[in-house]
Amino acid sequence: MRERPEAKRSANGRAYDPERLFLPPDDDLAPNRPGETLRARLDASRTGRVGLALARLLGRRPVEDTWRRELAAQQAVGSALELLTAGGWEVVHSIVLPGDAVIPHLLIGPGGVFCVAPEPAHGARLTVDDTAVRYAGERHPRPYVRRIRHSAARSSLVLSRGCDFPVRAWAVLVLVGAAEVEKADPPADVRVLRDRDVPGLGGLGGVLRPERVDRIHTVARNRRVWLGA
């Protein structure tokens, strides 16, 4: 285990990891807004309003519409997570992993570390099992549970390696706007929440001390540590 410089303390006694001072701005993920990667995709899209309108008239579903729904879900959940920072939590948004996977939100605080993935489900009736979410009326289930479980496992490896101590990242799936959620075979290792349940994460505690929260946050906000995820 490598030696690290002693943490500095602010006027209110909170410790801050000194490595944060040497993080290049281009590698610092802390300024990321909720849905940052989706915003970039929409900005780069070459499909104009006329093209989108024509696709809808022809009964097609432009991918841009899907991105906008996902962005709205991430913005709503991201705003709720940001409110938890007053209680000693930290949050990093839009962490890009190799292979184009994205962790929408990483929440770090007294209750532990949580990979949070919002999925838009406005008005839908859903059934959740150990690997997927099934929408009423759809033939094929969506692999939301399996996907966030995999992202959480990758996060645990990255953060443990970067921090030099074991870090467990828990998976959280948020079904935004769902009308009904039935947990037929609920996954033991994935929290499945409605968007109204997100503030409850702030009440969790007893897992991480403030100095460990700060250390994990310093590592998590460094873009380069995720390159080997």
Side-chain angles (χ1 to χ4, degrees), residues 126-129 131-135 138 140-145 173 175:
L126 311 172
T127 302
V128 182
D129 63 26
T131 61
V133 174
R134 185 179 294 277
Y135 283 60
E138 289 189 1
H140 301 291
R142 306 189 189 190
Y144 296 157
V145 177
L173 175 64
L175 301 171

mmCIF file of all heavy atoms in Angstrom, residues 126-129 131-135 138 140-145 173 175:
data_model
loop_
_atom_site.group_PDB
_atom_site.id
_atom_site.type_symbol
_atom_site.label_atom_id
_atom_site.label_comp_id
_atom_site.label_asym_id
_atom_site.label_seq_id
_atom_site.Cartn_x
_atom_site.Cartn_y
_atom_site.Cartn_z
ATOM 1 N N LEU A 126 -44.833 -2.254 -14.279
ATOM 2 C CA LEU A 126 -43.598 -3.005 -14.446
ATOM 3 C C LEU A 126 -43.533 -4.202 -13.505
ATOM 4 O O LEU A 126 -44.073 -4.167 -12.394
ATOM 5 C CB LEU A 126 -42.393 -2.103 -14.161
ATOM 6 C CG LEU A 126 -42.357 -0.744 -14.856
ATOM 7 C CD1 LEU A 126 -41.203 0.089 -14.321
ATOM 8 C CD2 LEU A 126 -42.241 -0.927 -16.361
ATOM 9 N N THR A 127 -42.822 -5.226 -13.959
ATOM 10 C CA THR A 127 -42.500 -6.376 -13.122
ATOM 11 C C THR A 127 -40.986 -6.538 -13.117
ATOM 12 O O THR A 127 -40.363 -6.563 -14.183
ATOM 13 C CB THR A 127 -43.155 -7.667 -13.654
ATOM 14 O OG1 THR A 127 -44.572 -7.477 -13.711
ATOM 15 C CG2 THR A 127 -42.843 -8.839 -12.737
ATOM 16 N N VAL A 128 -40.408 -6.630 -11.926
ATOM 17 C CA VAL A 128 -38.958 -6.710 -11.776
ATOM 18 C C VAL A 128 -38.578 -8.088 -11.262
ATOM 19 O O VAL A 128 -39.170 -8.596 -10.300
ATOM 20 C CB VAL A 128 -38.452 -5.644 -10.784
ATOM 21 C CG1 VAL A 128 -36.931 -5.703 -10.660
ATOM 22 C CG2 VAL A 128 -38.903 -4.250 -11.217
ATOM 23 N N ASP A 129 -37.596 -8.706 -11.917
ATOM 24 C CA ASP A 129 -37.060 -9.954 -11.391
ATOM 25 C C ASP A 129 -35.555 -9.816 -11.191
ATOM 26 O O ASP A 129 -35.034 -8.702 -11.166
ATOM 27 C CB ASP A 129 -37.411 -11.143 -12.293
ATOM 28 C CG ASP A 129 -36.807 -11.043 -13.693
ATOM 29 O OD1 ASP A 129 -35.763 -10.377 -13.857
ATOM 30 O OD2 ASP A 129 -37.371 -11.639 -14.631
ATOM 31 N N THR A 131 -32.991 -10.260 -12.990
ATOM 32 C CA THR A 131 -32.112 -9.820 -14.075
ATOM 33 C C THR A 131 -32.684 -8.695 -14.925
ATOM 34 O O THR A 131 -31.931 -7.988 -15.592
ATOM 35 C CB THR A 131 -31.770 -10.984 -15.030
ATOM 36 O OG1 THR A 131 -32.986 -11.485 -15.607
ATOM 37 C CG2 THR A 131 -31.058 -12.106 -14.285
ATOM 38 N N ALA A 132 -34.001 -8.513 -14.927
ATOM 39 C CA ALA A 132 -34.587 -7.608 -15.919
ATOM 40 C C ALA A 132 -35.862 -6.957 -15.400
ATOM 41 O O ALA A 132 -36.378 -7.284 -14.331
ATOM 42 C CB ALA A 132 -34.882 -8.374 -17.212
ATOM 43 N N VAL A 133 -36.352 -6.014 -16.210
ATOM 44 C CA VAL A 133 -37.618 -5.333 -15.947
ATOM 45 C C VAL A 133 -38.526 -5.587 -17.148
ATOM 46 O O VAL A 133 -38.128 -5.365 -18.292
ATOM 47 C CB VAL A 133 -37.410 -3.823 -15.752
ATOM 48 C CG1 VAL A 133 -38.747 -3.101 -15.621
ATOM 49 C CG2 VAL A 133 -36.532 -3.548 -14.533
ATOM 50 N N ARG A 134 -39.736 -6.042 -16.854
ATOM 51 C CA ARG A 134 -40.688 -6.312 -17.939
ATOM 52 C C ARG A 134 -41.806 -5.272 -17.894
ATOM 53 O O ARG A 134 -42.436 -5.060 -16.852
ATOM 54 C CB ARG A 134 -41.281 -7.711 -17.812
ATOM 55 C CG ARG A 134 -42.183 -8.098 -18.982
ATOM 56 C CD ARG A 134 -42.721 -9.503 -18.798
ATOM 57 N NE ARG A 134 -41.658 -10.497 -18.863
ATOM 58 C CZ ARG A 134 -41.172 -11.002 -19.991
ATOM 59 N NH1 ARG A 134 -41.641 -10.584 -21.166
ATOM 60 N NH2 ARG A 134 -40.215 -11.912 -19.961
ATOM 61 N N TYR A 135 -42.032 -4.621 -19.029
ATOM 62 C CA TYR A 135 -43.120 -3.656 -19.168
ATOM 63 C C TYR A 135 -44.392 -4.395 -19.579
ATOM 64 O O TYR A 135 -44.345 -5.256 -20.462
ATOM 65 C CB TYR A 135 -42.780 -2.611 -20.228
ATOM 66 C CG TYR A 135 -41.815 -1.545 -19.781
ATOM 67 C CD1 TYR A 135 -40.535 -1.852 -19.351
ATOM 68 C CD2 TYR A 135 -42.188 -0.202 -19.792
ATOM 69 C CE1 TYR A 135 -39.649 -0.865 -18.939
ATOM 70 C CE2 TYR A 135 -41.317 0.798 -19.386
ATOM 71 C CZ TYR A 135 -40.045 0.448 -18.961
ATOM 72 O OH TYR A 135 -39.176 1.431 -18.550
ATOM 73 N N GLU A 138 -45.275 -5.580 -23.288
ATOM 74 C CA GLU A 138 -44.082 -5.801 -24.109
ATOM 75 C C GLU A 138 -43.650 -7.260 -24.035
ATOM 76 O O GLU A 138 -43.722 -7.887 -22.969
ATOM 77 C CB GLU A 138 -42.932 -4.898 -23.647
ATOM 78 C CG GLU A 138 -43.125 -3.434 -23.973
ATOM 79 C CD GLU A 138 -41.875 -2.604 -23.698
ATOM 80 O OE1 GLU A 138 -40.851 -3.177 -23.260
ATOM 81 O OE2 GLU A 138 -41.934 -1.394 -23.930
ATOM 82 N N HIS A 140 -40.509 -8.498 -24.810
ATOM 83 C CA HIS A 140 -39.140 -8.736 -24.358
ATOM 84 C C HIS A 140 -38.807 -7.891 -23.125
ATOM 85 O O HIS A 140 -39.051 -6.672 -23.121
ATOM 86 C CB HIS A 140 -38.153 -8.415 -25.477
ATOM 87 C CG HIS A 140 -38.372 -9.217 -26.727
ATOM 88 N ND1 HIS A 140 -38.130 -10.565 -26.775
ATOM 89 C CD2 HIS A 140 -38.839 -8.854 -27.957
ATOM 90 C CE1 HIS A 140 -38.413 -11.013 -27.991
ATOM 91 N NE2 HIS A 140 -38.856 -10.002 -28.722
ATOM 92 N N PRO A 141 -38.254 -8.510 -22.091
ATOM 93 C CA PRO A 141 -37.849 -7.745 -20.906
ATOM 94 C C PRO A 141 -36.631 -6.877 -21.203
ATOM 95 O O PRO A 141 -35.892 -7.136 -22.163
ATOM 96 C CB PRO A 141 -37.497 -8.829 -19.879
ATOM 97 C CG PRO A 141 -37.122 -10.020 -20.707
ATOM 98 C CD PRO A 141 -37.976 -9.950 -21.943
ATOM 99 N N ARG A 142 -36.435 -5.859 -20.402
ATOM 100 C CA ARG A 142 -35.300 -4.963 -20.565
ATOM 101 C C ARG A 142 -34.252 -5.262 -19.493
ATOM 102 O O ARG A 142 -34.600 -5.380 -18.315
ATOM 103 C CB ARG A 142 -35.758 -3.511 -20.476
ATOM 104 C CG ARG A 142 -36.884 -3.187 -21.451
ATOM 105 C CD ARG A 142 -37.178 -1.720 -21.515
ATOM 106 N NE ARG A 142 -38.384 -1.439 -22.292
ATOM 107 C CZ ARG A 142 -38.774 -0.229 -22.663
ATOM 108 N NH1 ARG A 142 -38.045 0.831 -22.316
ATOM 109 N NH2 ARG A 142 -39.882 -0.070 -23.360
ATOM 110 N N PRO A 143 -32.985 -5.358 -19.882
ATOM 111 C CA PRO A 143 -31.946 -5.861 -18.959
ATOM 112 C C PRO A 143 -31.423 -4.814 -17.974
ATOM 113 O O PRO A 143 -30.213 -4.736 -17.721
ATOM 114 C CB PRO A 143 -30.848 -6.302 -19.929
ATOM 115 C CG PRO A 143 -30.955 -5.348 -21.074
ATOM 116 C CD PRO A 143 -32.439 -5.082 -21.223
ATOM 117 N N TYR A 144 -32.313 -4.004 -17.403
ATOM 118 C CA TYR A 144 -31.872 -2.923 -16.533
ATOM 119 C C TYR A 144 -31.159 -3.449 -15.278
ATOM 120 O O TYR A 144 -30.164 -2.877 -14.842
ATOM 121 C CB TYR A 144 -33.067 -2.073 -16.095
ATOM 122 C CG TYR A 144 -33.775 -1.341 -17.197
ATOM 123 C CD1 TYR A 144 -35.105 -0.950 -17.044
ATOM 124 C CD2 TYR A 144 -33.146 -1.032 -18.398
ATOM 125 C CE1 TYR A 144 -35.780 -0.258 -18.038
ATOM 126 C CE2 TYR A 144 -33.815 -0.336 -19.403
ATOM 127 C CZ TYR A 144 -35.138 0.042 -19.207
ATOM 128 O OH TYR A 144 -35.794 0.715 -20.195
ATOM 129 N N VAL A 145 -31.694 -4.500 -14.692
ATOM 130 C CA VAL A 145 -31.117 -5.011 -13.438
ATOM 131 C C VAL A 145 -29.724 -5.564 -13.683
ATOM 132 O O VAL A 145 -28.773 -5.264 -12.951
ATOM 133 C CB VAL A 145 -32.031 -6.091 -12.829
ATOM 134 C CG1 VAL A 145 -31.386 -6.676 -11.560
ATOM 135 C CG2 VAL A 145 -33.401 -5.514 -12.502
ATOM 136 N N LEU A 173 -31.406 0.815 -8.954
ATOM 137 C CA LEU A 173 -32.188 1.064 -10.160
ATOM 138 C C LEU A 173 -33.396 1.914 -9.776
ATOM 139 O O LEU A 173 -34.155 1.542 -8.870
ATOM 140 C CB LEU A 173 -32.649 -0.263 -10.776
ATOM 141 C CG LEU A 173 -33.574 -0.184 -11.985
ATOM 142 C CD1 LEU A 173 -32.889 0.480 -13.165
ATOM 143 C CD2 LEU A 173 -34.068 -1.578 -12.360
ATOM 144 N N LEU A 175 -36.845 3.577 -11.111
ATOM 145 C CA LEU A 175 -37.854 3.541 -12.166
ATOM 146 C C LEU A 175 -38.671 4.824 -12.061
ATOM 147 O O LEU A 175 -39.560 4.953 -11.207
ATOM 148 C CB LEU A 175 -38.721 2.296 -12.008
ATOM 149 C CG LEU A 175 -37.909 0.984 -12.074
ATOM 150 C CD1 LEU A 175 -38.779 -0.205 -11.688
ATOM 151 C CD2 LEU A 175 -37.306 0.788 -13.458
#
